């Protein structure tokens, strides 16, 4: 499985990846559930899942397959993911029996201070050079492959190069996302040329090719990450950020960015300790700051564990409290009180506030200070939850050796900052809008030089008796956390199978006055929860999760969404053991 152990196998793999056999007569179809052996994958997209399975079949491991699938998503889901974005990986290494996480989050340039976004309307930040963070995805792939993979970056990018060159069939989701962005895409020459050919979004059913992105991936594979982190591609990213290619006659006020080539040179993807809590008989691992995903999912689970019973009311209340603490304490700052936030003492203190009725809005944050009394007075004032939308993507892969990875990748808004790097076929991220715009004195998530904006991404691995049993994650901005939570509760509290747990209608309470919920949730539960004092707003779709579960030691069930975002793609290496 590893280069050092099987050099001959690695050589065969390298050659065979570069000369993939032609597609079989009976091509795989998109399905939300697959069960089998030898490795499994779930992504939002058939092409990405096929790439992961092809890598696994040829002897690559879960990390190789995740990078290959992530790079394909940069082609087929370019408004959610791409090499100029960022992400987080939570990875279980079966041989080392250890969970590793990689923080490939975008980073603020050194010139960005805490007031950089003050007074700027949010929508103006969204489509700007200012919001483009130093990209982390390429460094993330590089660290993942060199630490845990068997493929080179060049090999891992091959499937994506093929898809970008031959093209993919435009579906309704891709069309609709393009149409929703058309108003700003048309304001940049490079973006309009790529995504509005003939002045309109590509038609459903047409084949969309991105030869410039194919060439960018090819060059990246040949020259290595330094091509971006200090080399020619980096120079072009900086030039685009500083002088966005505005269409003649556009009246859009596009604020330039602060990124310099030295910011790219200094970028590092970082290995971090995962978050970990015990829940029932399980251990749950997640992503530590700068993501709030791991800490908020874990705190809410801890709070619920301290309650005598857990129903939907308790789920909403525990989420509300955990979000209050997230807003007050979690960001890319030194001294986040992670151990205390995830301690049983703190959970009991918080759980005590949950009664029969919804608590008044907003819930105040607690005091994770090591000294706990059940129902102690809350410790501060609530911070509002920033606006976030349904973007980003998540994938899971398991391989035949028992390695498992949950990988969230993003360019923040659907369509990032809307600006394609001219000639390179790739959109820039606008991840720095995840910072608090301010003024907000003391907020842990204000911008700062080299700081990473707080994320909600929550790639999560669940273990029972030291063995991985489940992997899950989702897109959806700050709703990611509750989507992951609700899937875990559906599965482990309320007895659903994993496919049922993903399909079930969702609700998200993030210390907001109203709980957002999908129509299916409102139909079933609105009346009973309103009787307890909850108030709801309808949200047509929350999240687009992917997950997998070990049904036995080597039989895996991969699960994607049956309908949200047009449905996802689950696949296994072999349906027979
Ligand atoms: N920027 C978001 C985060 O890191 C992810 C993008 C999204 O899903 O909205 O939490």
């Amino acid at each position: 499985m590893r280069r050092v152990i099987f050099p001959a196998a690695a050589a065969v793999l390298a050659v065979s990846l570069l000369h993939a056999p032609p597609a079989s007569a009976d091509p795989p179809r998109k399905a939300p559930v697959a069960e089998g052996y030898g490795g499994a994958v779930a992504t939002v997209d058939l092409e990405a899942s096929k790439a992961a399975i092809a890598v696994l079949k040829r002897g690559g491991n879960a990390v190789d397959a995740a990078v290959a699938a992530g790079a394909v998503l940069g082609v087929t889901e370019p408004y959610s993911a791409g090499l100029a974005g960022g992400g987080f990986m939570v990875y279980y290494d079966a041989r080392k029996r250890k969970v590793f996480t990689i923080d490939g989050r975008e980073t603020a340039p050194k010139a960005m201070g805490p007031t950089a976004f003050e007074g700027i309307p949010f929508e103006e930040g969204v489509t700007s050079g200012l919001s483009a963070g130093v990209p982390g995805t390429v460094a993330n792939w590089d660290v993942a492959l060199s630490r845990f993979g068997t493929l080179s970056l060049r090999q891992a990018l091959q499937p994506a190069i093929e898809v970008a060159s031959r093209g993919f069939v435009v579906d309704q989701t891709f069309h609709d996302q393009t149409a929703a962005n058309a108003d700003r895409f048309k304001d940049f020459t490079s973006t309009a040329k790529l995504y509005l050919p003939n002045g309109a979004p590509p038609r459903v059913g047409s084949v969309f090719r991105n030869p410039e992105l194919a060439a960018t991936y090819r060059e990246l594979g040949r020259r290595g990450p330094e091509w971006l982190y200090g080399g020619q591609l980096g120079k072009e990213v900086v030039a685009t950020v500083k002088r966005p290619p505005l269409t003649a006659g556009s009246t859009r006020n596009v604020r330039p960015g602060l990124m310099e080539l030295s910011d790219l040179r200094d970028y590092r993807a970082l290995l971090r300790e995962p978050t970990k809590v015990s829940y029932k008989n399980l251990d749950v691992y997640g992503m530590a700051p700068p993501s709030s995903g791991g800490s908020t999912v874990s705190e809410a689970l801890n709070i619920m564990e301290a309650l005598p019973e857990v129903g939907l009311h308790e789920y909403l209340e525990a989420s509300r409290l955990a979000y209050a603490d997230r807003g007050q304490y979690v960001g890319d700052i030194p001294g986040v009180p992670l151990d205390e936030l995830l301690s049983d003492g703190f959970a009991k203190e918080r759980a005590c506030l949950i009664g029969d009725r919804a608590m008044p809005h907003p819930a105040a944050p607690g005091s994770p200070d090591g000294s706990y009394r059940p129902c102690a007075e809350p410790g501060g004032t609530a911070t509002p939850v920033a606006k976030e939308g349904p973007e980003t993507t998540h994938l899971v892969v398991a391989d035949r050796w028992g390695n498992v990875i949950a990988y969230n990748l993003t360019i923040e808004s659907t369509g990032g900052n809307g600006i394609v790097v001219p000639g390179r076929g790739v959109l820039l991220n606008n991840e720095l809008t995840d910072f608090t715009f301010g003024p907000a004195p003391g907020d842990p998530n204000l911008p700062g030089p080299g700081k990473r904006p707080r994320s909600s991404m929550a790639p999560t691995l669940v273990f029972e008796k030291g063995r991985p049993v489940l992997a899950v994650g989702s897109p959806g901005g700050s709703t990611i956390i509750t989507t992951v939570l609700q899937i875990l509760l559906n599965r482990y509290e309320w007895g659903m199978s994993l496919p049922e747990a993903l399909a079930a209608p969702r609700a998200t309470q993030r210390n907001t006055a109203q709980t957002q919920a999908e129509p299916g949730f409102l139909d079933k539960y609105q009346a009973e929860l309103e009787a307890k004092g909850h108030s709801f707003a309808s949200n047509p779709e929350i999240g687009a999760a992917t997950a997998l579960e070990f049904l036995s030691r080597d039989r895996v069930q991969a699960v994607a969404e049956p309908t949200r975002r047009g449905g996802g793609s689950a696949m296994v290496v072999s349906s027979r053991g």
Side-chain angles (χ1 to χ4, degrees):
M1 118 198 204
R2 281 169 202 286
R3 210 180 276 132
V4 279
I5 307 177
F6 300 123
V12 171
L13 171 61
V15 171
S16 59
L17 269 173
L18 295 172
H19 304 283
S24 74
D26 187 15
R29 297 234 290 276
K30 201 170 178 182
V33 181
E35 274 182 38
Y37 302 84
V41 59
T43 79
V44 296
D45 176 64
L46 179 63
E47 295 285 357
S49 293
K50 274 171 25 185
I53 291 294
V55 168
L56 293 173
K57 278 192 173 160
R58 296 187 189 115
N61 69 16
V63 167
D64 299 322
V67 173
V72 171
L73 289 170
V75 180
T76 55
E77 294 273 324
Y79 308 142
S80 300
L83 71 92
F88 297 103
M89 289 176 170
V90 178
Y91 169 62
Y92 174 67
D93 187 303
R95 195 166 56 93
K96 298 195 178 83
R97 308 188 66 168
K98 188 170 155 57
V99 176
F100 296 87
T101 77
I102 305 176
D103 164 5
R105 184 69 162 167
E106 299 93 327
T107 297
K110 287 190 280 295
M112 181 165 271
T115 59
F117 287 105
E118 235 172 66
I120 297 180
F122 186 77
E123 288 311 324
E124 225 172 273
V126 163
T127 307
S128 72
L130 191 63
S131 60
V134 180
T137 288
V138 172
N140 189 347
W141 291 345
D142 185 47
V143 168
L145 291 173
S146 53
R147 280 293 303 255
F148 308 113
T150 69
L151 298 184
S152 67
L153 184 60
R154 189 168 72 96
Q155 291 162 344
L157 293 175
Q158 286 308 312
I161 293 169
E162 277 171 36
V163 177
S165 308
R166 83 169 132 76
F168 62 92
V169 178
V170 170
D171 64 6
Q172 195 66 46
T173 305
F174 184 86
H175 173 273
D176 292 352
Q177 289 180 339
T178 315
N181 270 294
D183 196 43
R184 61 185 189 134
F185 282 3
K186 74 171 171 24
D187 282 343
F188 302 99
T189 51
S190 49
T191 317
K193 185 175 149 217
L194 181 60
Y195 288 122
L196 301 171
N198 312 314
R203 272 184 308 102
V204 174
S206 63
V207 172
F208 185 85
R209 296 187 180 82
N210 191 342
E212 289 182 344
L213 180 56
T216 305
Y217 274 149
R218 206 173 285 122
E219 202 72 3
L220 181 65
R222 215 176 285 143
R223 294 179 187 270
E226 300 71 32
W227 189 49
L228 171 63
Y229 296 109
Q232 179 58 30
L233 182 59
K235 285 183 190 155
E236 292 174 32
V237 167
V238 169
T240 309
V241 162
K242 288 188 161 177
R243 283 180 306 282
L246 261 186
T247 303
S250 165
T251 55
R252 188 177 287 276
N253 179 14
V254 182
R255 291 169 191 270
L258 306 170
M259 199 190 300
E260 301 290 345
L261 199 60
S262 64
D263 292 310
L264 281 155
R265 258 191 224 114
D266 292 346
Y267 185 85
R268 299 286 178 276
L270 302 168
L271 284 161
R272 295 194 187 267
E273 283 298 310
T275 59
K276 181 188 172 199
V277 284
S278 300
Y279 181 71
K280 303 178 92 154
N281 58 335
L282 307 165
D283 290 315
V284 180
Y285 288 80
M287 194 64 224
S291 185
S292 61
S295 66
T296 314
V297 167
S298 301
E299 185 190 334
L301 288 174
N302 260 353
I303 292 172
M304 284 185 277
E305 197 166 29
L307 296 170
E309 60 188 56
V310 176
L312 287 170
H313 167 69
E314 288 74 19
Y315 156 60
L316 298 180
E317 294 296 87
S319 304
R320 192 194 300 277
L321 290 169
Y323 267 88
D325 297 325
R326 165 192 184 268
Q328 179 82 2
Y329 299 110
V330 184
D332 185 17
I333 51 166
V336 175
L338 207 52
D339 289 348
E340 294 302 333
L341 283 171
L342 305 192
S343 69
D344 290 342
F346 186 60
K348 285 199 182 99
E349 187 172 283
R350 299 299 270 157
C352 186
L353 298 167
I354 299 177
D356 291 342
R357 293 191 58 78
M359 64 187 81
H361 167 77
S367 299
D369 54 8
S371 144
Y372 301 117
R373 275 179 303 124
C375 285
E377 279 303 302
T381 336
T383 39
V385 176
K387 181 189 163 303
E388 294 197 63
E391 40 271 337
T392 304
T393 191
H394 180 267
L395 62 95
V396 290
V397 187
D399 65 27
R400 71 178 88 156
W401 299 281
N403 302 306
V404 188
I405 184 165
Y407 179 27
N408 247 147
L409 62 168
T410 183
I411 57 171
E412 173 34 26
S413 296
T414 305
N417 73 354
I419 308 172
V420 165
V421 181
R424 299 300 182 185
V426 64
L427 280 159
L428 293 171
N429 74 80
N430 60 350
E431 210 71 48
L432 304 186
T433 58
D434 272 2
F435 282 125
T436 305
F437 274 32
D443 186 306
N445 189 37
L446 284 169
K451 198 170 164 181
R452 299 182 179 201
R454 178 176 60 212
S455 171
S456 301
M457 291 191 277
T460 302
L461 300 182
V462 181
F463 289 72
E464 191 178 345
K465 298 196 185 101
R467 301 186 65 82
V469 289
L470 189 138
V472 62
S474 178
S478 59
T479 70
I480 291 171
I481 290 164
T482 54
T483 292
V484 168
L485 259 177
Q486 207 180 338
I487 289 169
L488 293 176
L489 295 175
N490 285 343
R491 180 74 192 91
Y492 293 117
E493 288 286 347
W494 304 323
M496 295 184 201
S497 67
L498 191 58
E500 288 166 345
L502 263 76
R506 295 187 184 130
T508 176
Q509 170 46 253
R510 292 159 293 144
N511 205 17
T512 47
Q514 292 185 306
T515 295
Q516 288 185 20
E518 293 177 337
F521 187 96
L522 294 174
D523 290 349
K524 275 197 183 146
Y525 309 113
Q526 182 169 12
E528 102 192 39
L529 289 165
E530 278 184 350
K532 294 189 174 205
H534 293 276
S535 153
F536 289 95
S538 183
N539 181 333
E541 197 170 286
I542 298 172
T546 49
L548 62 81
E549 180 169 0
F550 285 85
L551 300 178
S552 68
R553 210 182 172 89
D554 52 0
R555 185 169 171 81
V556 178
Q557 182 183 54
V559 185
E561 294 284 356
T563 55
R564 292 181 187 94
R565 270 208 208 172
S569 165
M571 295 177 77
V572 291
V573 166
S574 165
S575 54
R576 281 183 294 277

